Amino acid sequence: MMKSMTGKEKFFWISYGIGLTFLFLLSSTDLIIKEEEAKVHPISVIVEADSDDNYVNFRKGMDLAAVELNADVNFITLYEKGNRRQQEELLKREQQDGSSALIVAPVNGEAVLAMQEENQLVLPLVFINSETVGEPGTGKTAAVTFDYFTMGEKLGKEIAAVRSPNEKLYFLENEAMSVAGRKFMEGIRSGAAEGSEGPAASYAWAPEAEKGKILEKLTEGWTQKIILVAPEPESLLEAAQMLEDIEGAKEWVTGLYGRGSSVPILNFLDKGIIKGLCITDDFSAGYLSVKAAIELAEGGAVQTGNYLDSYFIRRGDLRDEKYEKILYPVE
């Protein structure tokens, strides 16, 4: 006959079973000890454009920061480019919907700051592509941007160095230019004026107009060749397409210059239609803007006032490893 277990033996085996169950729960579930979940910061990015064509590398940088720094990034474009009222309404909407911080390429930076001062916006703000920085040291604002005036000034000097006195310089401007475009244009005028005596004029750029008439207008009353300068990526791309489409345009236009880093713009540089281009490290700008937004949302202070790097390149620089990393960042 089997010997029955004593009270001590029963107690041992029951305790042993309870211990095994406890260890199992510790190792395979969070019923007893819950792991601390990393906080995810919802961040809204509202730009001044009606598409993300010029924000491809910027978004890649933001996406990497979102993964590494635990952010949920919502990228928003306007229905109408440069619509200040619409952007302000979107900022208030994203605040109401629970964002931790707002990243904005402002149509009007001072107006956005005024919203913060009037407590319409209580979230931290990170300004991009803008001269607006807010009051330093308050922990409410930061800026991740480029020195568009100096960038334009450098381009202007590059143009002045290769321009002959009888070549007319045309600036393709319009009222819908962004803040960055206006500062860039100011720099171009400053740089192009140095050591140059050739004629210059502004042309009210209207991409919806018939392309043939645009070229006719540009060359009206002028028997020499012209150089076109576009302060915005959109107008640069439109002008490049015009030169490619219109037969004989290249005989009149000896150079097209501007800024931008989208693939279509780079393709026109590679074709030789665009002669010189200012580019920016948009990938780094995207990453740093999200990083700054998180730091502000967590109550930290962000150093402002430092510009990110920009560069002037020509066709031959496209194969330079330094610029390849900027223009085609690895995701």
Side-chain angles (χ1 to χ4, degrees):
M1 293 180 63
M2 294 182 63
K3 183 181 178 182
S4 61
M5 288 190 295
T6 65
K8 289 184 177 180
E9 289 174 327
K10 287 181 180 180
F11 177 79
F12 170 78
W13 286 110
I14 292 172
S15 299
Y16 182 72
I18 293 173
L20 287 177
T21 303
F22 181 75
L23 290 174
F24 173 78
L25 290 172
L26 283 178
S27 63
S28 61
T29 73
D30 60 356
L31 294 176
I32 298 175
I33 300 177
K34 293 187 178 181
E35 294 184 6
E36 184 178 351
E37 296 183 2
K39 184 177 182 180
V40 177
H41 291 283
I43 296 172
S44 297
V45 184
I46 303 174
V47 297
E48 83 293 2
D50 56 2
S51 75
D52 65 351
D53 293 347
N54 297 310
Y55 284 90
V56 175
N57 286 344
F58 186 88
R59 294 192 67 170
K60 289 179 180 179
M62 287 196 314
D63 290 342
L64 179 61
V67 172
E68 293 185 352
L69 305 176
N70 295 315
D72 181 13
V73 178
N74 184 24
F75 188 91
I76 303 167
T77 59
L78 303 182
Y79 300 114
E80 179 185 348
K81 179 184 175 182
N83 189 318
R84 169 186 161 184
R85 297 299 180 190
Q86 184 184 116
Q87 187 178 64
E88 291 173 359
E89 289 302 316
L90 288 171
L91 288 168
K92 289 188 284 188
R93 184 195 73 183
E94 292 304 302
Q95 174 177 260
Q96 186 175 358
D97 288 348
S99 290
S100 296
L102 300 170
I103 300 173
V104 56
V107 176
N108 185 314
E110 296 304 320
V112 175
L113 272 182
M115 293 176 67
Q116 189 180 59
E117 292 168 359
E118 296 167 2
N119 290 324
Q120 296 182 53
L121 294 177
V122 296
L123 296 180
L125 294 172
V126 177
F127 291 98
I128 58 174
N129 297 342
S130 172
E131 293 294 312
T132 307
V133 295
E135 187 177 349
T138 62
K140 295 181 179 180
T141 64
V144 177
T145 190
F146 303 92
D147 188 344
Y148 287 99
F149 179 87
T150 300
M151 189 194 313
E153 192 172 43
K154 184 174 182 179
L155 175 59
K157 291 177 180 179
E158 292 283 350
I159 294 172
V162 299
R163 177 190 177 195
S164 65
N166 63 343
E167 286 178 322
K168 192 170 186 177
L169 191 60
Y170 268 103
F171 305 116
L172 305 180
E173 302 175 274
N174 60 38
E175 294 181 355
M177 283 199 304
S178 65
V179 174
R182 295 183 190 281
K183 298 298 291 186
F184 185 62
M185 192 70 255
E186 289 176 15
I188 293 172
R189 289 182 182 278
S190 173
E194 294 185 16
S196 177
E197 298 179 357
S202 293
Y203 177 71
W205 183 248
E208 70 278 4
E210 187 178 338
K211 291 177 180 176
K213 290 183 178 179
I214 291 175
L215 189 62
E216 181 182 347
K217 177 66 176 177
L218 291 174
T219 56
E220 183 180 352
W222 187 252
T223 58
Q224 302 299 319
K225 297 187 177 182
I226 59 177
I227 295 175
L228 301 180
V229 184
E232 299 276 40
E234 295 88 351
S235 56
L236 177 63
L237 184 58
E238 290 157 358
Q241 191 65 58
M242 177 190 76
L243 296 185
E244 184 176 60
D245 291 346
I246 298 178
E247 186 176 353
K250 295 177 185 177
E251 297 177 7
W252 280 99
V253 181
T254 61
L256 172 62
Y257 299 84
R259 67 182 178 96
S261 57
S262 67
V263 172
I265 286 177
L266 296 176
N267 287 340
F268 278 118
L269 180 65
D270 199 25
K271 291 177 182 179
I273 293 175
I274 294 175
K275 299 298 183 183
L277 188 64
C278 287
I279 61 170
T280 51
D281 187 356
D282 295 339
F283 183 88
S284 294
Y287 188 98
L288 292 173
S289 65
V290 172
K291 183 174 183 290
I294 292 175
E295 289 174 351
L296 289 177
E298 292 180 343
V302 178
Q303 182 179 1
T304 61
N306 295 326
Y307 291 113
L308 301 183
D309 293 333
S310 61
Y311 310 90
F312 174 81
I313 63 172
R314 295 187 183 274
R315 182 181 184 179
D317 296 317
L318 285 172
R319 307 296 181 264
D320 188 312
E321 184 178 352
K322 171 185 176 181
Y323 301 120
E324 280 187 333
K325 290 180 179 179
I326 295 171
L327 296 171
Y328 307 103
V330 178
E331 297 184 54

